[in-house]
PDB file of all heavy atoms in Angstrom:
ATOM      1  N   ASP D  72      43.265  75.946  47.431  1.00  0.00           N
ATOM      2  CA  ASP D  72      42.253  75.088  48.041  1.00  0.00           C
ATOM      3  C   ASP D  72      41.295  74.515  46.964  1.00  0.00           C
ATOM      4  O   ASP D  72      40.825  73.412  47.105  1.00  0.00           O
ATOM      5  CB  ASP D  72      41.458  75.892  49.114  1.00  0.00           C
ATOM      6  CG  ASP D  72      40.802  77.093  48.597  1.00  0.00           C
ATOM      7  OD1 ASP D  72      41.378  77.818  47.714  1.00  0.00           O
ATOM      8  OD2 ASP D  72      39.612  77.399  48.931  1.00  0.00           O
ATOM      9  N   LYS D  73      41.079  75.263  45.910  1.00  0.00           N
ATOM     10  CA  LYS D  73      40.229  74.783  44.802  1.00  0.00           C
ATOM     11  C   LYS D  73      40.891  73.584  44.128  1.00  0.00           C
ATOM     12  O   LYS D  73      40.245  72.636  43.757  1.00  0.00           O
ATOM     13  CB  LYS D  73      39.959  75.859  43.771  1.00  0.00           C
ATOM     14  CG  LYS D  73      39.075  77.033  44.246  1.00  0.00           C
ATOM     15  CD  LYS D  73      38.813  77.944  43.065  1.00  0.00           C
ATOM     16  CE  LYS D  73      38.045  79.169  43.426  1.00  0.00           C
ATOM     17  NZ  LYS D  73      37.844  80.092  42.273  1.00  0.00           N
ATOM     18  N   LEU D  74      42.197  73.709  43.956  1.00  0.00           N
ATOM     19  CA  LEU D  74      42.948  72.616  43.307  1.00  0.00           C
ATOM     20  C   LEU D  74      42.934  71.364  44.204  1.00  0.00           C
ATOM     21  O   LEU D  74      42.769  70.285  43.716  1.00  0.00           O
ATOM     22  CB  LEU D  74      44.375  73.033  43.015  1.00  0.00           C
ATOM     23  CG  LEU D  74      44.543  74.293  42.196  1.00  0.00           C
ATOM     24  CD1 LEU D  74      46.033  74.533  41.846  1.00  0.00           C
ATOM     25  CD2 LEU D  74      43.764  74.171  40.884  1.00  0.00           C
ATOM     26  N   GLU D  75      43.119  71.587  45.522  1.00  0.00           N
ATOM     27  CA  GLU D  75      43.139  70.439  46.389  1.00  0.00           C
ATOM     28  C   GLU D  75      41.809  69.686  46.383  1.00  0.00           C
ATOM     29  O   GLU D  75      41.745  68.486  46.432  1.00  0.00           O
ATOM     30  CB  GLU D  75      43.476  70.905  47.839  1.00  0.00           C
ATOM     31  CG  GLU D  75      44.973  71.205  47.960  1.00  0.00           C
ATOM     32  CD  GLU D  75      45.345  71.930  49.264  1.00  0.00           C
ATOM     33  OE1 GLU D  75      44.462  72.202  50.085  1.00  0.00           O
ATOM     34  OE2 GLU D  75      46.539  72.258  49.377  1.00  0.00           O
ATOM     35  N   ARG D  76      40.721  70.464  46.300  1.00  0.00           N
ATOM     36  CA  ARG D  76      39.398  69.843  46.223  1.00  0.00           C
ATOM     37  C   ARG D  76      39.253  68.963  45.021  1.00  0.00           C
ATOM     38  O   ARG D  76      38.794  67.845  45.054  1.00  0.00           O
ATOM     39  CB  ARG D  76      38.318  70.943  46.214  1.00  0.00           C
ATOM     40  CG  ARG D  76      37.335  70.829  47.364  1.00  0.00           C
ATOM     41  CD  ARG D  76      36.353  71.963  47.387  1.00  0.00           C
ATOM     42  NE  ARG D  76      36.963  73.173  47.950  1.00  0.00           N
ATOM     43  CZ  ARG D  76      36.748  74.419  47.525  1.00  0.00           C
ATOM     44  NH1 ARG D  76      35.874  74.623  46.564  1.00  0.00           N
ATOM     45  NH2 ARG D  76      37.310  75.457  48.099  1.00  0.00           N
ATOM     46  N   LEU D  77      39.760  69.457  43.877  1.00  0.00           N
ATOM     47  CA  LEU D  77      39.698  68.671  42.647  1.00  0.00           C
ATOM     48  C   LEU D  77      40.569  67.418  42.701  1.00  0.00           C
ATOM     49  O   LEU D  77      40.220  66.314  42.245  1.00  0.00           O
ATOM     50  CB  LEU D  77      40.124  69.513  41.439  1.00  0.00           C
ATOM     51  CG  LEU D  77      39.115  70.597  40.988  1.00  0.00           C
ATOM     52  CD1 LEU D  77      39.786  71.526  39.974  1.00  0.00           C
ATOM     53  CD2 LEU D  77      37.902  69.971  40.345  1.00  0.00           C
ATOM     54  N   GLN D  78      41.724  67.596  43.297  1.00  0.00           N
ATOM     55  CA  GLN D  78      42.687  66.467  43.437  1.00  0.00           C
ATOM     56  C   GLN D  78      42.079  65.393  44.350  1.00  0.00           C
ATOM     57  O   GLN D  78      42.161  64.173  44.070  1.00  0.00           O
ATOM     58  CB  GLN D  78      44.038  66.928  43.984  1.00  0.00           C
ATOM     59  CG  GLN D  78      44.917  67.440  42.867  1.00  0.00           C
ATOM     60  CD  GLN D  78      46.114  68.187  43.405  1.00  0.00           C
ATOM     61  OE1 GLN D  78      46.064  68.847  44.433  1.00  0.00           O
ATOM     62  NE2 GLN D  78      47.182  68.108  42.661  1.00  0.00           N
ATOM     63  N   LYS D  79      41.444  65.831  45.403  1.00  0.00           N
ATOM     64  CA  LYS D  79      40.811  64.893  46.302  1.00  0.00           C
ATOM     65  C   LYS D  79      39.711  64.075  45.617  1.00  0.00           C
ATOM     66  O   LYS D  79      39.557  62.888  45.909  1.00  0.00           O
ATOM     67  CB  LYS D  79      40.138  65.613  47.516  1.00  0.00           C
ATOM     68  CG  LYS D  79      41.024  65.574  48.755  1.00  0.00           C
ATOM     69  CD  LYS D  79      40.271  66.083  49.961  1.00  0.00           C
ATOM     70  CE  LYS D  79      41.335  66.554  50.990  1.00  0.00           C
ATOM     71  NZ  LYS D  79      40.896  67.704  51.748  1.00  0.00           N
ATOM     72  N   LEU D  80      38.988  64.726  44.691  1.00  0.00           N
ATOM     73  CA  LEU D  80      37.984  63.981  43.957  1.00  0.00           C
ATOM     74  C   LEU D  80      38.589  62.974  43.053  1.00  0.00           C
ATOM     75  O   LEU D  80      37.967  61.991  42.695  1.00  0.00           O
ATOM     76  CB  LEU D  80      37.193  65.025  43.094  1.00  0.00           C
ATOM     77  CG  LEU D  80      36.136  65.904  43.765  1.00  0.00           C
ATOM     78  CD1 LEU D  80      35.547  66.838  42.727  1.00  0.00           C
ATOM     79  CD2 LEU D  80      35.066  65.100  44.448  1.00  0.00           C
ATOM     80  N   GLY D  81      39.808  63.194  42.595  1.00  0.00           N
ATOM     81  CA  GLY D  81      40.483  62.241  41.733  1.00  0.00           C
ATOM     82  C   GLY D  81      40.872  62.799  40.371  1.00  0.00           C
ATOM     83  O   GLY D  81      41.273  62.046  39.464  1.00  0.00           O
ATOM     84  N   ALA D  82      40.755  64.104  40.209  1.00  0.00           N
ATOM     85  CA  ALA D  82      41.107  64.746  38.892  1.00  0.00           C
ATOM     86  C   ALA D  82      42.613  65.004  38.872  1.00  0.00           C
ATOM     87  O   ALA D  82      43.239  65.215  39.915  1.00  0.00           O
ATOM     88  CB  ALA D  82      40.370  66.048  38.729  1.00  0.00           C
ATOM     89  N   THR D  83      43.164  65.013  37.639  1.00  0.00           N
ATOM     90  CA  THR D  83      44.537  65.389  37.419  1.00  0.00           C
ATOM     91  C   THR D  83      44.530  66.875  37.056  1.00  0.00           C
ATOM     92  O   THR D  83      43.739  67.312  36.280  1.00  0.00           O
ATOM     93  CB  THR D  83      45.120  64.600  36.252  1.00  0.00           C
ATOM     94  OG1 THR D  83      45.035  63.203  36.572  1.00  0.00           O
ATOM     95  CG2 THR D  83      46.571  64.998  35.948  1.00  0.00           C
ATOM     96  N   ILE D  84      45.411  67.637  37.669  1.00  0.00           N
ATOM     97  CA  ILE D  84      45.420  69.097  37.434  1.00  0.00           C
ATOM     98  C   ILE D  84      46.400  69.447  36.350  1.00  0.00           C
ATOM     99  O   ILE D  84      47.526  68.971  36.388  1.00  0.00           O
ATOM    100  CB  ILE D  84      45.814  69.846  38.730  1.00  0.00           C
ATOM    101  CG1 ILE D  84      44.924  69.454  39.936  1.00  0.00           C
ATOM    102  CG2 ILE D  84      45.829  71.374  38.498  1.00  0.00           C
ATOM    103  CD1 ILE D  84      43.494  69.887  39.852  1.00  0.00           C
ATOM    104  N   ALA D  85      45.968  70.267  35.393  1.00  0.00           N
ATOM    105  CA  ALA D  85      46.897  70.803  34.414  1.00  0.00           C
ATOM    106  C   ALA D  85      46.796  72.324  34.522  1.00  0.00           C
ATOM    107  O   ALA D  85      45.753  72.910  34.155  1.00  0.00           O
ATOM    108  CB  ALA D  85      46.549  70.347  33.025  1.00  0.00           C
ATOM    109  N   SER D  86      47.810  72.970  35.020  1.00  0.00           N
ATOM    110  CA  SER D  86      47.836  74.400  35.200  1.00  0.00           C
ATOM    111  C   SER D  86      48.374  75.040  33.927  1.00  0.00           C
ATOM    112  O   SER D  86      49.501  74.782  33.555  1.00  0.00           O
ATOM    113  CB  SER D  86      48.700  74.739  36.446  1.00  0.00           C
ATOM    114  OG  SER D  86      48.700  76.053  36.644  1.00  0.00           O
ATOM    115  N   VAL D  87      47.576  75.917  33.315  1.00  0.00           N
ATOM    116  CA  VAL D  87      47.965  76.474  31.996  1.00  0.00           C
ATOM    117  C   VAL D  87      47.659  78.000  31.961  1.00  0.00           C
ATOM    118  O   VAL D  87      46.908  78.514  32.728  1.00  0.00           O
ATOM    119  CB  VAL D  87      47.189  75.823  30.842  1.00  0.00           C
ATOM    120  CG1 VAL D  87      47.537  74.313  30.741  1.00  0.00           C
ATOM    121  CG2 VAL D  87      45.704  76.016  30.976  1.00  0.00           C
ATOM    122  N   ASP D  88      48.304  78.617  30.935  1.00  0.00           N
ATOM    123  CA  ASP D  88      47.967  79.985  30.581  1.00  0.00           C
ATOM    124  C   ASP D  88      46.908  79.875  29.480  1.00  0.00           C
ATOM    125  O   ASP D  88      47.223  79.376  28.371  1.00  0.00           O
ATOM    126  CB  ASP D  88      49.218  80.686  30.104  1.00  0.00           C
ATOM    127  CG  ASP D  88      48.969  82.076  29.570  1.00  0.00           C
ATOM    128  OD1 ASP D  88      47.780  82.433  29.435  1.00  0.00           O
ATOM    129  OD2 ASP D  88      49.937  82.803  29.266  1.00  0.00           O
ATOM    130  N   PHE D  89      45.732  80.301  29.743  1.00  0.00           N
ATOM    131  CA  PHE D  89      44.571  80.128  28.807  1.00  0.00           C
ATOM    132  C   PHE D  89      44.739  81.004  27.531  1.00  0.00           C
ATOM    133  O   PHE D  89      43.908  80.928  26.645  1.00  0.00           O
ATOM    134  CB  PHE D  89      43.260  80.416  29.467  1.00  0.00           C
ATOM    135  CG  PHE D  89      42.700  79.192  30.201  1.00  0.00           C
ATOM    136  CD1 PHE D  89      43.078  78.899  31.472  1.00  0.00           C
ATOM    137  CD2 PHE D  89      41.739  78.419  29.573  1.00  0.00           C
ATOM    138  CE1 PHE D  89      42.573  77.769  32.137  1.00  0.00           C
ATOM    139  CE2 PHE D  89      41.268  77.291  30.210  1.00  0.00           C
ATOM    140  CZ  PHE D  89      41.642  76.968  31.490  1.00  0.00           C
ATOM    141  N   SER D  90      45.823  81.874  27.509  1.00  0.00           N
ATOM    142  CA  SER D  90      46.008  82.599  26.287  1.00  0.00           C
ATOM    143  C   SER D  90      47.031  81.970  25.406  1.00  0.00           C
ATOM    144  O   SER D  90      47.402  82.442  24.335  1.00  0.00           O
ATOM    145  CB  SER D  90      46.423  84.070  26.598  1.00  0.00           C
ATOM    146  OG  SER D  90      47.657  84.055  27.265  1.00  0.00           O
ATOM    147  N   SER D  91      47.619  80.802  25.840  1.00  0.00           N
ATOM    148  CA  SER D  91      48.667  80.221  25.134  1.00  0.00           C
ATOM    149  C   SER D  91      48.315  78.794  24.636  1.00  0.00           C
ATOM    150  O   SER D  91      48.288  77.811  25.418  1.00  0.00           O
ATOM    151  CB  SER D  91      49.917  80.163  26.019  1.00  0.00           C
ATOM    152  OG  SER D  91      50.833  79.181  25.587  1.00  0.00           O
ATOM    153  N   ALA D  92      48.087  78.688  23.315  1.00  0.00           N
ATOM    154  CA  ALA D  92      47.711  77.357  22.752  1.00  0.00           C
ATOM    155  C   ALA D  92      48.814  76.352  22.985  1.00  0.00           C
ATOM    156  O   ALA D  92      48.564  75.196  23.208  1.00  0.00           O
ATOM    157  CB  ALA D  92      47.383  77.507  21.269  1.00  0.00           C
ATOM    158  N   SER D  93      50.058  76.879  22.969  1.00  0.00           N
ATOM    159  CA  SER D  93      51.151  75.915  23.131  1.00  0.00           C
ATOM    160  C   SER D  93      51.186  75.273  24.563  1.00  0.00           C
ATOM    161  O   SER D  93      51.748  74.223  24.784  1.00  0.00           O
ATOM    162  CB  SER D  93      52.527  76.570  22.839  1.00  0.00           C
ATOM    163  OG  SER D  93      52.738  77.599  23.785  1.00  0.00           O
ATOM    164  N   GLN D  94      50.553  75.977  25.490  1.00  0.00           N
ATOM    165  CA  GLN D  94      50.460  75.329  26.837  1.00  0.00           C
ATOM    166  C   GLN D  94      49.206  74.486  26.937  1.00  0.00           C
ATOM    167  O   GLN D  94      49.238  73.481  27.611  1.00  0.00           O
ATOM    168  CB  GLN D  94      50.390  76.449  27.906  1.00  0.00           C
ATOM    169  CG  GLN D  94      51.695  77.120  28.221  1.00  0.00           C
ATOM    170  CD  GLN D  94      51.640  77.961  29.495  1.00  0.00           C
ATOM    171  OE1 GLN D  94      50.834  77.747  30.362  1.00  0.00           O
ATOM    172  NE2 GLN D  94      52.558  78.887  29.582  1.00  0.00           N
TER     173      GLN D  94
END
Side-chain angles (χ1 to χ4, degrees):
D72 59 321
K73 292 186 183 177
L74 303 186
E75 283 169 1
R76 239 174 282 144
L77 286 169
Q78 276 167 327
K79 259 191 205 146
L80 286 177
T83 301
I84 306 293
S86 180
V87 296
D88 174 353
F89 275 83
S90 64
S91 160
S93 63
Q94 284 194 23

